[in-house]
Structures are given as C-alpha cells and as structure tokens.
C-alpha cells in the first residue's frame, strides 16, 4: 500500500478519477472466451460453460460502475447515476446466474430470468430519469408518457401478431410472455434513455450515454430471436448476450472515467441526437405497416391506394417534424454548451481547477446526510502573504496552482481536494478513523516540504492543517468550523504542523470571542489603566525611565492578566485601538510628570508596539500626532518591538525607518531569543537592546555557561555599537551584582521595583532624584 506521503509526491498528472481498465478487460475477456467456446465446443457436450461467462461479465460491469459511484470527487448527479447503473448490473447478473443454473437452450425466457432482468431495466430507466434536466411542465411529462405508451403498445402488437405467431409449437406461455415483456421493457427503456440523454443539463458523457443504449437494444433483439430463432442461433444469443451487455456497461464506465480524468472532468460536449428519440415515430410507422399488411388481404385496389396515400401524407408530416426538431437542436446546442460551462465554473475554482467551497460543502453535506464516514483537512499555506508581497501576485498564483496539483495527485479517488479561497485548501476524506486522518495530514505536510519549482524560483510552502472528524449529528458547517478551529490551533503551535479538533478547542474559541467583545467594551468604558515599571541606572541607583504596562480591571472578573487579553486583541484587530490608547496615555502621563516635577521626572517612557501596529500605514503619523499633542520630544519616546515583529515584511521595515528618522528611539525587546538577532542590528535602526529575562534567570548559579556567555556578549556588543543595554527580570541582588560586573548600566525587575501606579511612580521618581536608592 502506498503511504500518504508517497501518494502526495510531485508530478504533472491532473487526475481526479484515474481510469481503471481492468473491469473492461475482464468483461471483454468473457466475450472472447464465449466466442472461443462456441467455435470449439463439442456439439453433444454440456452447454453450462457457455452460461458461466454471464455472471462474471456483470460482476466486472458492477465494479466499473460502482467505482465511479463511490468517488467523492465526482459530481453528485454523476455518482447517483452510476450507482443506480451498478445496481442494475447486479439484477442482470442475478438473471445471468439463474440462466447458468438452468443452462438450457429452450425458446423464450424463463420467468425466473425475466423478473431480475425486468428489475434491472427498471433501475436503468430510473438512473436516466434522475439525471439533471430542465424542469418539465405537465405537458412535457404527458408527452414523455405518450411516447412511452406509443412504443409499448406498438411493441406489444408486434410481439403479439408477429413474433409470437412465429414461435415454435409447444412453447410454454410463460417463456413466450417472459421474452415479450423483456423486449417491450427494452423498447420503453430506449425511449427513456433517448429523452433523458438529450436533456440540456446532462452531466454524463454523451459517448458513454450512447454506449449505454446497447444493453436495452440487445435485450430487444435477443427477446425476439430467442422466440423465432433456430437452435444454434438461440444458443449463441443465450450465451453471448449477457457478456456483451456487461462489456458495454464496462466500456461506458471506462469512457466516463477517461472524461473525469481530464482537467475539470466535464462532459466533452452536449449530447447529440440519438436514434432512440425517433422510436415513437418508428412505432407509428411499424404499426401502420402492420395495419396495411393485414388490411391489404381484404381491400380492393382503390382502397389500397387511399391507404397508401394516407401513409405517404403521414410520412411527409413525420419528415417535416424531424427537420423541425433538427433545427431546434442546432439552436439548443449553444445553450447547452454555455450551461455546462457555467455549471462547471459555479462548482470549481477558476485558478486551480479544484472544487470550490460550494461544491466542497455540498459533497460534505451529502456524505453526512447519507451517514457515511467523513473527515476534513483544512490546509492553510504559512506566510503566503510574504510570497505575494516579495515576489508578486503572479508568482503567488503559480504557487497556489502547484499546491493544488500536489493535493489533486496525492488524493485518493474517494477524497475531494478543494480550494476554499485565497491560500486556504481542504480535503474531504472518507474516513472517521483519527489515526488514518492524522496519517494523511502528515502526508500532506511531508509532500509540501518538497520545494516547488515556480518559474525561475525554488519555493518552500509549509502549511498548517486542521483535522476534524464528523461526529454524530454534525452538519457540514459544524465540521468545517471545527476544522478551522483546529487549523488556528496548529498555527498557534508554531505553524508547519497539524492539529486535530477536540471539543475543548471550541469552548476556548467561544471564550476568546466573548473576551474580545468585552475588551472592545472595556476600551470604550475606560476599564483599562496603565502601570509603570521603572528602569534604573543600576550603577547610580537613579531612575532612568519606565515601561508602560497595560492592565484591565474587569467589572466582574477583577484584574485580567495581559497574557490573556493581549493575544485576543492581536487576533481580533483590537490591538490597533488598544495600542493607540496605551501610546497616547503613556505620553500624556510622562508630559504630566515633567510638567509637575521638572528635572526630577524621568526623561523617557517605553511603550510596547505590536507587529499589527507597525503594519498600519498611518502609525507613524499617529506617533507624530501624539508627540505634538502632549508636547514631548521624539527622544522622550522609546518604542519596544520584538524580533518577530521586525521581520514581518517591507511595510514594517519602512515604518521603523520612518520612526527612527523622526527621532523616536527603538528598543529590541526579548533580545537573544530569536534566530536572527545579530543580523537585525545591521538591517534595522536600533537604539536599545533589552536582554531577555531567560538569560538573567540562573545567571548566578554558575551551572549554565551558555547564559553567562550570551549575557556577557550582549553587553559587549551594545558597548561596541554604542547602544544601550537593559537587563530585564532582575529578581535578586546577586543577579544585579553579576550584571554590573558584566558592564550593564540599565536594568529593571521586581528586585528593584514592581509595576507602580502613576502616583507611587511619581513619589519614587522624587526619591531617586534626591538620594541614590540602593538597588
């Protein structure tokens, strides 16, 4: 068995349903085997081997039709059609098995064989009648019923007055009537096939439809010749008819698979006019001929001339009607072609050719309604925006097409890959086994790690995947929502991974949504306030600045930690109004301290800035406006940014350069924890390095030489580059002494002072301004 990772490899094939010729080969082999047996058989030997081929051929036809009927990538009407046809193959196969059990060469058809054959004909007609078609009025239904009745009555008259009259003497009534009923049923089936196949909304391949007219036509011919034929002819027909029918059904299914394997899998064109549509007219002509033949024996020459003239007039009218229908067909062909194209566009993504969201949801809903196993993989390309921003949308579109190609090629026939929009894809699986779904998700990730060749570029496209299993009573929307929740969980875990939905995730999402709504109201109702953590000169003990920290006093929950509501603000977009409020309030407070305390007040305030703020085109203007409103100088403001924020594209880089040009100081927060810290110092304007708390913890234990080395290197680096170095998270006197020895001049932490409200902060400022505080 091929693993999901192997199946999801590279390649250029664009297949949705791969043609499987094995059933067709098996059915054709039974026909050839019967022909060989007929040519070399012993005339006095048993005829049972000849009948053995029938059930085998119908089994092959069943598998060929069932293969399309179970493929979720195929449109629902096409699947339903081929499923009914596979059931029809079962009924005909039962009739063939009964014939094998009887193994006789008697005239007619046994009732035990006729009953399953008639049931197969009924299912065949039902399959055609369920194909999409234009809405029929009562008049159109009446016309269809009249056509069927005309053919049925004409066929019954033909069998009654012609075929049964030629039956050999002694033939049982049941076998005669069984053959006649099968023959009439085949004629009616041909009418239904002709009418349904000519529908403008036909979705089954026209060539396959024409091939599928062979089984009922064969049934009509065989039912006649089994009554009036000779012994040798009956034997040939008895043993060859069912294998031929099976081969025709397998060939039609193979033809449909070939069409579905083409890009888009749409029918090759509108159905052509079929000879089955003239069956009602042929029935009238045949009945007229029968009347003439029977009447000619009793009429004189003048009366015969009148009858011949009436027949000629009827023929002229029929010819005129046929020409009119042909003209109408030419007009409708263009309409049918446009309708087929529009339906295809409505259910497929125009860029990648995959199923779109509408078709994906319909297929998922159908599977859930039928209580069949279903799982969904929700796939999102990580950092796809970077590709569009740096290489252009044309390259991004090519990358999406390559991703779609791998999903299409690697998906099993019972899976449905789709593009839901932008860089979001999905795959519908036919399983509810968690391990199987997770294995396929891992295979998708493995396949996407192989570099993509896009023009002259080699691109990597890592993805995050959410896996959701359909539960009892889940709707399509619920399963998709669960997969989306799991996808966000995978993104939060670090991207390039998968996560399977668990019920707790939904509750977390609900809580986050509720918290986001409450945070929105908190900004409006002024429930937020700022605390200030002093930054000290750890050599002199004087206060050098302060970092503004936002807090939330919830009316019912009390103080909500920033670790809970700041990520919610970033996800929901509230970080812009929240960050704007923090910036304005911190600058206002610094201006108030300087106005009240003069030189005793701190000279700068640190404000944390999120990546989303730096991506905002109006952020620089907002900072300039706040400085102007509060009367602060740009040097009084220090904006703290993280390494991940700095690496968030060209827009962020431009914003930082504009802020630095304005005179605002920039601090690189949590320095040392990223992967590109040293390169950032050359690529971006930086004034302050803030050593992350993780390097300060345990710095005095003497066991972690790595922490000591990094902390010492940051201090030396800042000194050589003429930058300020600030040590964060100082919690003991030993840590403070060790940092002084390393050359650090600035520091902050609970050992020196916790975050304070504005009043206590002012008092501490005044105290450190008059006396050196031991830190």
């Amino acid at each position: 068995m091929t693993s999901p990772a192997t199946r999801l490899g590279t390649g250029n094939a664009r297949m949705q349903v791969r043609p499987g010729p094995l059933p067709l080969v098996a059915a054709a082999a039974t026909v050839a085997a019967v022909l060989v047996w007929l040519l070399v058989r012993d005339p006095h030997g048993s005829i049972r081997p000849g009948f053995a081929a029938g059930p085998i051929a119908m089994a092959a036809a069943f598998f060929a039709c069932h293969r399309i009927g179970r493929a979720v990538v195929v449109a629902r009407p096409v699947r339903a059609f081929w499923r009914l046809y596979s059931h029809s193959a079962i009924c005909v196969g039962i009739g063939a098995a009964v014939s094998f059990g009887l193994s006789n060469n008697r005239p007619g058809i046994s009732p035990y064989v006729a009953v399953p054959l008639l049931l197969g004909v009924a299912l065949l007609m039902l399959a055609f009648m369920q194909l999409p078609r234009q809405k029929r009025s009562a008049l159109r239904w009446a016309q269809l019923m009249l056509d069927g009745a005309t053919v049925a009555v004409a066929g019954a008259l033909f069998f009654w007055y012609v075929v049964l009259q030629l039956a050999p003497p002694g033939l049982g009534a049941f076998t005669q009537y069984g053959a006649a009923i099968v023959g009439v049923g085949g004629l009616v089936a041909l009418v239904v096939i002709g009418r349904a196949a000519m529908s403008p909304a036909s979705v089954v391949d026209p060539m396959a439809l024409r091939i599928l007219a062979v089984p009922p036509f064969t049934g009509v011919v065989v039912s006649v010749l089994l009554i009036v034929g000779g012994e040798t002819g009956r034997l040939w027909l008895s043993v060859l008819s069912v294998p031929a029918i099976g081969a025709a059904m397998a060939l039609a299914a193979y033809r449909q698979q070939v069409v579905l394997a083409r890009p888009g899998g749409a029918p090759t064109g509108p159905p052509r006019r079929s000879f089955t549509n003239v069956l009602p007219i042929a029935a009238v002509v045949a009945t007229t001929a029968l009347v003439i033949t029977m009447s000619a024996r009793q009429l004189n020459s003048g009366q015969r001339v009148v009858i011949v003239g009436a027949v000629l007039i009827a023929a002229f009218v029929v010819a005129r009607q046929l020409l009119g229908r042909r003209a109408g067909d030419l007009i409708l062909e263009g309409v049918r072609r446009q309708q087929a194209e529009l339906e295809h566009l409505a259910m497929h993504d125009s860029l990648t050719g995959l199923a779109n969201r509408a078709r994906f949801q319909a297929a998922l809903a159908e599977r859930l309604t039928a209580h069949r196993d279903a799982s969904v993989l929700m796939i999102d390309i990580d950092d796809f925006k970077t590709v569009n921003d740096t290489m252009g949308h044309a390259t991004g579109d090519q990358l999406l097409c390559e991703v779609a190609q791998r999903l299409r090629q690697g998906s099993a026939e019972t899976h449905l890959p789709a593009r839901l929009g932008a860089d979001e894809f999905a795959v519908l699986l036919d399983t509810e086994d968690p391990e199987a779904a997770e294995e396929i998700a891992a295979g998708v990730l493995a396949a996407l790690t192989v570099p993509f060749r896009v023009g002259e570029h080699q691109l990597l496209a890592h993805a995050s995947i959410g896996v959701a299993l359909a539960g009892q009573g889940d709707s399509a929307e619920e399963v998709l929502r669960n997969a989306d929740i799991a996808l966000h969980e995978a993104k939060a875990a670090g991207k390039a991974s998968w996560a399977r939905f668990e019920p707790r995730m939904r509750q977390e999402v609900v809580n986050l949504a509720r918290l986001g709504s409450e945070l929105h109201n908190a900004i409006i109702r002024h429930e937020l306030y700022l605390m200030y953590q002093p930054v000290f000169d750890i050599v002199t003990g004087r206060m050098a600045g302060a970092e503004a920290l936002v807090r939330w006093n919830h009316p019912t929950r009390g103080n909500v930690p920033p670790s809970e509501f700041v990520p919610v603000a970033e996800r929901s977009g509230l970080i812009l109004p929240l960050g704007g409020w923090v910036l304005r309030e911190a600058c206002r407070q610094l201006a108030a301290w300087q106005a009240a305390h003069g030189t005793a007040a701190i000279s700068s305030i640190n404000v944390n800035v999120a990546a989303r703020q730096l991506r905002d085109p109006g952020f620089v203007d907002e900072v300039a406006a706040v400085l102007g409103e509060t009367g602060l100088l740009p040097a009084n403001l220090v904006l703290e940014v993280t390494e991940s924020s700095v690496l968030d594209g060209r827009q962020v880089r431009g914003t930082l350069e504009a802020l630095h040009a304005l005179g605002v100081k920039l601090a690189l927060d949590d320095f040392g924890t990223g992967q590109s810290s040293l390169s950032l110092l050359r690529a971006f304007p930086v004034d302050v390095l803030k050593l992350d708390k993780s390097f300060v913890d345990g710095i005095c234990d003497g066991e972690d030489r790595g922490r000591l080395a990094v902390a010492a290197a940051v201090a030396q680096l800042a000194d050589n580059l003429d930058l300020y170095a600030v040590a964060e998270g100082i919690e003991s006197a030993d840590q403070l002494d060790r940092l002084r020895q390393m050359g650090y001049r600035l520091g902050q932490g609970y050992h020196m002072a916790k975050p304070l409200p504005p009043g206590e902060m002012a008092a501490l400022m005044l105290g450190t301004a008059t006396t050196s505080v031991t830190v």
Side-chain angles (χ1 to χ4, degrees), residues 129-175:
M129 293 182 71
Q130 286 193 346
L131 284 175
R133 56 185 179 273
Q134 288 178 318
K135 186 177 181 180
R136 286 195 175 115
S137 63
L139 179 60
R140 297 286 294 173
W141 277 109
Q143 289 175 336
L144 177 61
M145 298 299 293
L146 287 173
D147 286 343
T150 300
V151 172
V153 172
L157 289 174
F158 177 75
F159 274 94
W160 181 262
Y161 286 104
V162 179
V163 178
L164 296 184
Q165 296 298 324
L166 300 176
L171 181 62
F174 285 111
T175 55

Side-chain angles (χ1 to χ4, degrees), residues 80-94:
F81 174 84
W82 287 103
R83 276 201 301 269
L84 282 172
Y85 235 94
S86 67
H87 299 159
S88 176
I90 293 176
C91 295
V92 178
I94 293 173

Side-chain angles (χ1 to χ4, degrees), residues 351-399:
L351 176 64
T352 63
L354 293 179
N356 60 13
R357 180 180 291 272
R359 184 181 173 194
F360 188 86
Q361 286 184 310
L364 176 58
E366 178 193 352
R367 183 170 284 275
L368 295 176
T369 302
H371 303 290
R372 300 166 66 189
D373 292 348
S375 300
V376 169
L377 304 184
M378 188 82 74
I379 305 165
D380 187 80
I381 308 302
D382 294 332
D383 304 317
F384 178 75
K385 183 178 181 298
T386 304
V387 176
N388 276 340
D389 290 344
T390 58
M391 310 185 74
H393 288 274
T395 301
D397 288 347
Q398 293 181 44
L399 177 60

Side-chain angles (χ1 to χ4, degrees), residues 496-553:
S497 62
W498 58 265
R500 180 162 61 87
F501 174 78
E502 298 177 5
R504 64 165 180 83
M505 296 179 183
R506 181 183 299 156
Q507 188 58 43
E508 291 175 359
V509 169
V510 172
N511 292 338
L512 289 176
R514 183 184 298 113
L515 191 61
S517 175
E518 294 176 349
L519 179 59
H520 177 269
N521 294 331
I523 298 174
I524 299 174
R525 297 170 182 170
H526 307 291
E527 296 174 3
L528 302 174
Y529 63 97
L530 293 183
M531 300 285 280
Y532 300 88
Q533 184 168 33
V535 177
F536 286 94
D537 183 325
I538 60 176
V539 175
T540 65
R542 296 182 182 276
M543 191 185 302
E547 180 180 355
L549 302 172
V550 64
R551 296 292 186 264
W552 181 9
N553 185 20

Side-chain angles (χ1 to χ4, degrees), residues 583-584 587-588 591 620-634 636-637 662 664:
L583 174 66
R584 181 168 275 96
C587 290
R588 186 200 62 76
V620 177
D621 293 336
E622 182 182 7
V623 171
V626 170
L627 293 175
E629 292 171 6
T630 57
L632 296 180
L633 297 175
N636 296 137
L637 178 61
L662 184 65
V664 174

Side-chain angles (χ1 to χ4, degrees), residues 594-752:
Q594 290 182 344
H597 308 299
T599 58
I602 57 176
S603 61
S604 63
I605 191 74
N606 291 27
V607 177
N608 291 281
V609 178
R612 179 66 182 85
Q613 293 176 271
L614 297 174
R615 289 198 300 269
D616 184 8
F619 182 66
V620 177
D621 293 336
E622 182 182 7
V623 171
V626 170
L627 293 175
E629 292 171 6
T630 57
L632 296 180
L633 297 175
N636 296 137
L637 178 61
V638 180
L639 297 180
E640 297 190 12
V641 297
T642 61
E643 293 181 32
S644 59
S645 299
V646 171
L647 294 172
D648 198 5
R650 290 181 296 179
Q651 177 66 40
V652 170
R653 182 189 184 108
T655 299
L656 293 175
E657 290 174 348
L659 290 170
H660 194 263
L662 184 65
V664 174
K665 294 181 181 179
L666 300 177
L668 200 56
D669 199 11
D670 302 330
F671 186 76
T673 57
Q675 299 179 354
S676 306
S677 300
L678 297 180
S679 63
L680 287 177
L681 299 182
R682 300 184 59 185
F684 295 93
V686 177
D687 301 288
V688 180
L689 299 181
K690 300 193 72 174
L691 179 68
D692 187 70
K693 182 180 183 298
S694 62
F695 296 103
V696 176
D697 292 339
I699 199 173
C700 298
D701 297 341
E703 298 178 358
D704 193 338
R705 294 181 177 272
R707 290 180 180 178
L708 289 171
V710 171
V714 170
Q716 185 176 3
L717 184 65
D719 184 60
N720 292 336
L721 296 177
D722 197 23
L723 304 176
Y724 291 100
V726 180
E728 295 183 288
I730 302 174
E731 297 182 352
S732 68
D734 292 339
Q735 292 176 347
L736 184 63
D737 293 338
R738 194 62 180 268
L739 289 168
R740 281 200 196 101
Q741 296 171 11
M742 290 182 180
Y744 281 90
R745 186 65 185 260
L746 301 175
Q748 65 184 109
Y750 277 28
H751 171 66
M752 296 170 286

